[in-house]
Amino acid sequence: IVLHFPGRGPMAGDYRGRDGMAQLFQKQVEMLDGPPEIEIHDVLASDDHAVVLNRVRATKGGQTSEQQQVVVMHIEGGKITETWLQFSDQQALDEFASS
């Protein structure tokens, strides 16, 4: 799997395979006060793609960021092979993550 995390903040970049995903989760553990809260609103899917619409809430140093998020996944052979994240206010998320 390849996960594309957008923006210019410390979590931005492409994460490849299990090691890459572990690296992203480790960054979140070190950066945030706890795991992000995700509230799923809807899931749309076909044989080749899935789209998840959700709200993500994270806390860092007592400050909270809440964003609407779209997750687009490419599926091959029944497995997710590539994922793109999009946030409702990328600049605010970058600033929150960098503070």
Side-chain angles (χ1 to χ4, degrees), residues 41-62:
H41 291 287
D42 208 349
V43 178
L44 307 112
S46 69
D47 290 340
D48 297 324
H49 294 93
V51 177
V52 179
L53 307 174
N54 61 36
R55 175 178 296 141
V56 178
R57 182 180 299 118
T59 304
K60 176 183 177 192

Side-chain angles (χ1 to χ4, degrees), residues 2-98:
V2 179
L3 183 136
H4 305 283
F5 199 110
R8 296 180 181 204
M11 290 188 288
D14 295 336
Y15 297 90
R16 299 179 186 281
R18 289 180 188 203
D19 290 343
M21 296 302 294
Q23 179 186 12
L24 174 60
F25 293 142
Q26 184 61 38
K27 284 182 181 182
Q28 288 180 337
V29 166
E30 293 170 359
M31 179 180 294
L32 301 175
D33 295 346
E37 298 173 30
I38 300 172
E39 178 185 333
I40 296 174
H41 291 287
D42 208 349
V43 178
L44 307 112
S46 69
D47 290 340
D48 297 324
H49 294 93
V51 177
V52 179
L53 307 174
N54 61 36
R55 175 178 296 141
V56 178
R57 182 180 299 118
T59 304
K60 176 183 177 192
Q63 299 292 325
T64 299
S65 170
E66 188 171 310
Q67 296 269 332
Q68 300 299 318
Q69 182 186 53
V70 177
V71 181
V72 178
M73 295 169 271
H74 182 73
I75 301 169
E76 289 182 19
K79 295 183 180 183
I80 299 168
T81 58
E82 198 159 8
T83 301
W84 295 264
L85 305 178
Q86 290 292 24
F87 296 91
S88 56
D89 188 344
Q90 187 64 55
Q91 183 176 349
L93 181 63
D94 289 345
E95 291 171 5
F96 171 78
S98 297

